[in-house]
Amino acid sequence: MKATHEHEWEAAPGLPSALPPGERVVWQGAPDWKRLAIHAFHVRKIALYFALMLAVQAINLTAPEGRVDWKPLVVAASLYALALALLLGTAWMSARSTLYTLTNKRVVMRIGIVLTLTFNLPFKRIAGASLKTQGAGTGDIALALHPEDRIGWVHLWPHQRAWHVTQPQPTLRCVPDSQQVGEQLLNLWRAERAGQSLHLGDSPATASVNQPHTPNHGMLA
């Protein structure tokens, strides 16, 4: 995989620095931009709203004899089309600038169109995960962090689970083959946590390993 021009500073695509010895990349992927436009930017819902607004405007502009003043409708339709085009363009750029990485130690999220941010989420700081499928094999994989670990909702958007504002959950949005990626994540999580429990067995505080909680969207199992 070749790094794009705007990310030439990366040590490797999606990674801010070289991986330490013993760590390897298991999977990398990006959102499906069409699904991202639908599920994160709600293009379909907004297009339906615009269509309803045009219908109402057409009714109001219809004269008693049946004539319609088309000029305001054309202007309004042009503005609505421009707004939808901007949303689609933002979704495309968001997907193009995003790269999710699974290593055998952590999840790395490189996000941001203008200001690029990279979030390193070690498996030991991930308390749970959930999968929400969307059809065509894509889905959202939300990561629940421990209560003491919090990432700003604004910093994550649109790569966060909806309606979780006080305790945002970083989310791999609209990932192709999400079921397989979710299974990989769960296996890596279990392997890493099992390894920690063996190596840190002399510390009761860190030796206890809790299985990820079962969220509303279902476990990655």
Side-chain angles (χ1 to χ4, degrees):
M1 195 174 198
K2 193 173 181 180
T4 55
H5 177 72
E6 61 266 33
H7 302 297
E8 286 181 348
W9 51 269
E10 291 176 326
L15 301 174
S17 59
L19 294 177
E23 186 172 2
R24 67 185 188 280
V25 173
V26 177
W27 172 87
Q28 282 190 321
D32 182 300
W33 79 269
K34 295 180 182 178
R35 292 285 174 176
L36 191 68
I38 294 171
H39 297 283
F41 293 88
H42 306 288
V43 171
R44 280 182 179 173
K45 297 176 183 177
I46 295 173
L48 178 60
Y49 172 77
F50 286 162
L52 291 174
M53 291 295 293
L54 278 176
V56 171
Q57 191 173 3
I59 294 173
N60 292 332
L61 292 173
T62 302
E65 59 272 18
R67 290 186 297 103
V68 179
D69 187 0
W70 291 102
K71 186 176 180 180
L73 288 178
V74 172
V75 173
S78 299
L79 292 176
Y80 295 158
L82 176 60
L84 291 175
L86 290 174
L87 278 177
L88 289 171
T90 303
W92 179 82
M93 289 189 293
S94 180
R96 184 177 181 273
S97 60
T98 297
L99 188 59
Y100 304 130
T101 303
L102 291 183
T103 76
N104 57 323
K105 300 289 184 181
R106 55 182 161 157
V107 179
V108 183
M109 300 173 62
R110 186 197 72 197
I111 62 176
I113 298 175
V114 178
L115 177 61
T116 301
L117 299 175
T118 302
F119 295 103
N120 287 286
L121 308 174
F123 290 128
K124 63 182 180 181
R125 305 310 304 169
I126 296 177
S130 62
L131 169 64
K132 181 181 179 181
T133 57
Q134 301 162 344
T138 63
D140 291 346
I141 302 174
L143 307 175
L145 306 180
H146 291 286
E148 60 271 21
D149 299 325
R150 187 177 183 278
I151 303 175
W153 188 91
V154 175
H155 295 140
L156 286 170
W157 188 87
H159 308 272
Q160 87 296 329
R161 187 176 176 183
W163 310 112
H164 287 66
V165 179
T166 56
Q167 190 66 31
Q169 295 186 6
T171 303
L172 281 59
R173 299 297 302 265
C174 305
V175 177
D177 300 320
S178 58
Q179 187 67 43
Q180 297 179 13
V181 177
E183 291 174 357
Q184 279 186 309
L185 173 62
L186 181 61
N187 292 334
L188 292 169
W189 185 93
R190 284 174 172 169
E192 177 65 11
R193 297 298 289 261
Q196 287 182 0
S197 65
L198 291 173
H199 292 302
L200 303 178
D202 57 338
S203 175
T206 56
S208 60
V209 176
N210 296 322
Q211 291 296 321
H213 65 278
T214 305
N216 294 333
H217 297 307
M219 270 299 302
L220 298 177

